[in-house]
Amino acid sequence: MEDAGVGWIAAIIIGGIAGWLAEMFMKSNMGVLMNIVLGIVGAAVANLLLGLIGVSLGGWIGYLIAGFIGACILIALARAIRR
C-alpha cells in the first residue's frame, strides 16, 4: 500500500469501491465490510500476481484496478472451493 502512495484511510475507501465493483461484476452478494476486505486483500493478491509477470500499477487508480482484479479472483476462488 505504501508503495502505491495510498494511506490506510484511502486504502479502506478504495478497497471498498474495488470490492463493490467486483461484487457487481461477479454478481455476488456480500456486505460492505466484506467488500472492503475483498478490495484490500484483492489488491495485495493482484499486485503480487502482476509483479510476477512484470506489470506494476501505482497510485490510486492502479490500486483500484488491482483491487478490482484481485477481488474478482478471490470471489472466483471462493466459488470454486464451495463447489
Side-chain angles (χ1 to χ4, degrees):
M1 267 183 296
E2 296 303 321
D3 293 341
V6 177
W8 285 104
I9 301 296
I12 292 170
I13 294 169
I14 296 169
I17 294 169
W20 178 77
L21 288 172
E23 178 185 51
M24 295 294 122
F25 182 75
M26 299 292 287
K27 294 180 179 41
S28 176
N29 189 13
M30 311 235 175
V32 173
L33 183 62
M34 193 61 174
N35 286 341
I36 293 170
V37 171
L38 278 173
I40 293 172
V41 174
V45 169
N47 278 328
L48 176 77
L49 293 175
L50 291 172
L52 291 175
I53 60 172
V55 176
S56 176
L57 298 174
W60 291 50
I61 300 296
Y63 190 78
L64 180 66
I65 293 168
F68 173 74
I69 292 169
C72 288
I73 291 169
L74 292 176
I75 291 171
L77 283 174
R79 286 181 181 169
I81 291 172
R82 285 186 195 162
R83 292 181 187 188

